[in-house]
Amino acid sequence: MNWLLVVVGAAVGAPLRYLTDRAARARYGSAFPWGTLAVNVVGSFVLGLLTGVASARLHLLLGVGLCGALTTYSTFSYETLKLYEGGAKGYAALNVTGSLAAGLGAVWLGVETAGLW
C-alpha cells in the first residue's frame, strides 16, 4: 500500500503546481517563471521539515508523493533554457542562482524548524 500513499500525495501535488504557476503568471506575467520558483522553494521547505520528524508513511505521502509532484527540476531546466534562448540571459542566470539559493535555504530552514519540535 506504500505506492498508494505516493499516488495520493502526487494527486494533490501536481494540481497545486499547475494552479500555483497559473496564479503566478496571472499576477506577474510570464517574463520570469515565478510559479516554478515558488513551488520548488515551498517543496524544499516541506521536505526539509519532514526530515527526521515524519513517519515513513507520512514521508511517502508528503515527501515522495506531494513534494515529488509539486516540485519540478525538469520545468526549471526547460524554463531556464527558454529564457536564455529568448535573449533573457540575465533572467536565466537569476533563475539558476535564485532557485539554487532559495531551494537550499528553504530546505535548511525546514530542517532547522523541524529540530525545534
Side-chain angles (χ1 to χ4, degrees):
M1 295 303 280
N2 290 341
W3 64 271
L4 188 57
L5 293 170
V6 175
V7 168
V8 170
V12 174
L16 280 177
R17 174 170 46 141
Y18 174 74
L19 293 172
T20 301
D21 187 57
R22 287 187 55 98
R25 286 178 188 270
R27 183 168 181 108
Y28 302 110
S30 60
F32 187 81
W34 291 109
T36 302
L37 177 64
V39 296
N40 285 340
V41 171
V42 169
S44 296
F45 176 76
V46 171
L47 199 54
L49 193 61
L50 292 172
T51 302
V53 297
S55 67
R57 287 181 166 226
L58 189 60
H59 195 278
L60 284 173
L61 177 70
L62 298 178
V64 179
L66 181 85
C67 290
L70 178 67
T71 61
T72 173
Y73 186 76
S74 58
T75 301
F76 156 75
S77 300
Y78 174 77
E79 290 172 342
T80 301
L81 181 62
K82 294 304 287 181
L83 287 170
Y84 185 83
E85 288 179 344
K89 295 176 181 171
Y91 277 164
L94 178 65
N95 195 34
V96 170
T97 57
S99 293
L100 288 175
L104 288 170
V107 76
W108 174 83
L109 184 62
V111 168
E112 290 297 314
T113 302
L116 294 175
W117 296 336

